[in-house]
Amino acid sequence: TNGKNRISRNQGGQCVARKDDIMKTWYCVTSSFDDRGRAIAAITATKEAEECPESTYTNTSRKDIYNDWFGSEEEAKKWVEQARCA
């Protein structure tokens, strides 16, 4: 390989990095969908790590909250736009 990270998603939707032991910046998108159909999404965190952090899901009495991690800021921004249009 050329030493660059390559990011893809496995069948479960988790992001996977193939790399040469290089630390990578991961971008977290937090999105919430309330019971009235409103959607809010934004890039809320970054993290330096070799592997993609685990995405999480929380269900509350009024909304569902997702924290999804992406391997590039561009991919995270696209996800934010898609979530806002949901």
Side-chain angles (χ1 to χ4, degrees), residues 16-48:
V16 178
R18 293 179 303 191
K19 64 214 169 302
D20 299 328
D21 296 321
I22 298 172
M23 294 295 281
K24 172 155 188 58
T25 301
W26 300 94
Y27 298 83
C28 180
V29 173
T30 300
S31 52
S32 68
F33 303 89
D34 70 19
D35 292 342
R36 291 181 267 170
R38 292 186 300 179
I40 299 171
I43 298 173
T44 56
T46 60
K47 184 175 185 175
E48 291 287 324

Side-chain angles (χ1 to χ4, degrees), residues 40-82:
I40 299 171
I43 298 173
T44 56
T46 60
K47 184 175 185 175
E48 291 287 324
E50 289 182 13
E51 295 183 13
C52 181
E54 185 175 338
S55 295
T56 61
Y57 163 77
T58 304
N59 182 331
T60 70
S61 62
R62 293 183 302 196
K63 61 185 166 183
D64 297 332
I65 304 166
Y66 299 85
N67 290 301
D68 296 296
W69 291 89
F70 298 89
S72 72
E73 186 174 14
E74 180 180 323
E75 186 181 9
K77 286 179 178 180
K78 286 180 183 177
W79 189 263
V80 167
E81 289 305 314
Q82 289 175 355

Side-chain angles (χ1 to χ4, degrees), residues 5-20:
N5 289 344
R6 296 179 185 200
I7 307 303
S8 62
R9 290 201 177 262
N10 65 18
Q11 290 180 345
Q14 295 289 79
C15 39
V16 178
R18 293 179 303 191
K19 64 214 169 302
D20 299 328

